[in-house]
Amino acid sequence: IFFNFFINANMGKLPVLADIFSIEFLYKVNVGRFSGSAQFPGFFMTENPINFIMLIPLRIIYFIFSPFFWDVQSIKHLVGVLDSIFYMIFSFYLIKNFKNYITYPEMKILLIILIPMIIFMSILTANFGTGIRHRLKILPIFLILCFTRYKNK
């Protein structure tokens, strides 16, 4: 009973928790974020729930690695390209050493924290300007995973 109340409770300006996980709510939130010169490509803005879900892996790629060279429209966007190059290097290193990370419980916990953060932030980000800012939240976890050394078991 408590769980049902918590999910469907109306708390004024806060959205009902059950609505947060609906595709329609996410679409309405993202419509206002597709603006400016740093916006993601227009095909990310879809009302179709199946397309929305199918685009999540591509949104993750855009979230982590954008701006790409073809997205640069001004000199200040080049700073974002440098930032994305570092994330490409870190991601390559993480993928290359993934087998080592799942061996240690501490690293598993960091991955359990990192992966949902990347998924949720990529769903709610609609331009690479805010993507750069939100990526800074996951940078410490990236750095810990990349630069922590363990002896091989």
Side-chain angles (χ1 to χ4, degrees):
I1 295 174
F2 175 75
F3 183 73
N4 189 25
F5 170 77
F6 182 71
I7 294 293
N8 295 313
N10 187 353
M11 297 181 213
K13 292 186 179 183
L14 295 175
V16 176
L17 193 58
D19 291 342
I20 291 175
F21 297 105
S22 72
I23 300 295
E24 293 83 18
F25 176 79
L26 294 174
Y27 174 76
K28 288 177 187 174
V29 168
N30 272 329
V31 165
R33 296 179 181 169
F34 274 94
S35 62
S37 64
Q39 68 183 358
F40 285 169
F43 62 83
F44 282 122
M45 199 167 69
T46 178
E47 290 186 60
N48 184 340
I50 295 170
N51 287 346
F52 191 89
I53 292 168
M54 288 174 51
L55 285 171
I56 289 174
L58 191 56
R59 288 183 78 103
I60 291 170
I61 291 169
Y62 252 85
F63 171 71
I64 296 174
F65 303 126
S66 66
F68 296 106
F69 290 108
W70 57 84
D71 293 328
V72 174
Q73 296 179 1
S74 71
I75 302 245
K76 61 184 173 184
H77 291 172
L78 290 175
V79 176
V81 171
L82 291 174
D83 180 62
S84 69
I85 290 171
F86 285 118
Y87 280 94
M88 287 178 194
I89 294 168
F90 293 149
S91 297
F92 174 75
Y93 187 81
L94 289 176
I95 292 168
K96 180 181 160 208
N97 295 311
F98 187 77
K99 200 182 300 185
N100 295 337
Y101 297 133
I102 58 175
T103 308
Y104 297 96
E106 301 88 0
M107 296 295 155
K108 282 183 192 175
I109 291 171
L110 288 176
L111 287 172
I112 289 171
I113 294 169
L114 179 68
I115 292 170
M117 283 180 71
I118 289 173
I119 292 169
F120 290 128
M121 286 185 203
S122 67
I123 289 172
L124 295 172
T125 301
N127 69 53
F128 60 79
T130 56
I132 292 169
R133 189 171 66 237
H134 292 313
R135 278 196 310 241
L136 286 173
K137 297 171 187 170
I138 61 172
L139 181 63
I141 300 173
F142 260 92
L143 293 175
I144 291 169
L145 288 170
C146 286
F147 295 113
T148 300
R149 300 282 184 240
Y150 282 104
K151 295 179 183 176
N152 293 336
K153 286 187 173 183

